[in-house]
């Protein structure tokens, strides 16, 4: 079955949303609820910018960005949640 993934970047320099969801967990979860209402089957939360020439942040900073959003989302959205990371420690903490 094909699904639709909603993308939520919680970085200050997000190319897709201008960084509007990196300072407020409430705003981030609100965006996820909107994406669900628009038909998203799953959510992908990223805390490391992948735009060209983006500064690499450490694992602790990435976790500080994504983990509070994931925790709040678990109580607020019904879709599956994934974390967009290349770090095993961030992925481990996200589950």
């Amino acid at each position: 079955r094909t699904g639709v993934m909603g993308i939520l970047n919680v970085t200050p320099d997000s190319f897709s949303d201008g960084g509007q969801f990196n300072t407020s967990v409430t705003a981030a979860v609100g965006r996820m609820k909107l994406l669900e209402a628009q038909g998203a089957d799953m959510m992908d939360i990223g805390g490391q910018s992948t735009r060209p020439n983006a500064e690499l942040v450490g694992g602790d900073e990435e976790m500080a960005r994504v983990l509070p959003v994931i925790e709040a989302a678990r109580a607020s959205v019904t879709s599956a949640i994934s974390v967009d990371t290349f770090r095993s420690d961030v992925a481990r903490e996200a589950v």
Side-chain angles (χ1 to χ4, degrees):
R1 165 168 121 69
T2 302
V4 175
M5 178 177 277
I7 305 298
L8 181 71
N9 296 312
V10 288
T11 60
D13 61 347
S14 172
F15 66 91
S16 64
D17 58 44
Q20 62 182 321
F21 302 113
N22 74 307
T23 58
S24 168
V25 170
T26 303
V29 172
R31 177 64 172 180
M32 293 172 76
K33 288 180 178 181
L34 175 63
L35 291 169
E36 258 187 348
Q38 293 174 334
D41 301 301
M42 59 196 101
M43 303 292 159
D44 188 52
I45 304 169
Q48 169 61 60
S49 180
T50 56
R51 68 171 174 74
N53 302 314
E55 182 178 327
L56 192 64
V57 299
D60 289 341
E61 175 64 23
E62 187 178 359
M63 282 191 258
R65 292 175 180 180
V66 299
L67 295 180
V69 175
I70 292 170
E71 184 176 329
R74 284 183 178 137
S76 302
V77 299
T78 58
S79 58
I81 299 170
S82 71
V83 63
D84 179 4
T85 186
F86 58 84
R87 292 187 173 94
S88 61
D89 58 336
V90 175
R92 187 173 24 262
E93 291 297 320
V95 296

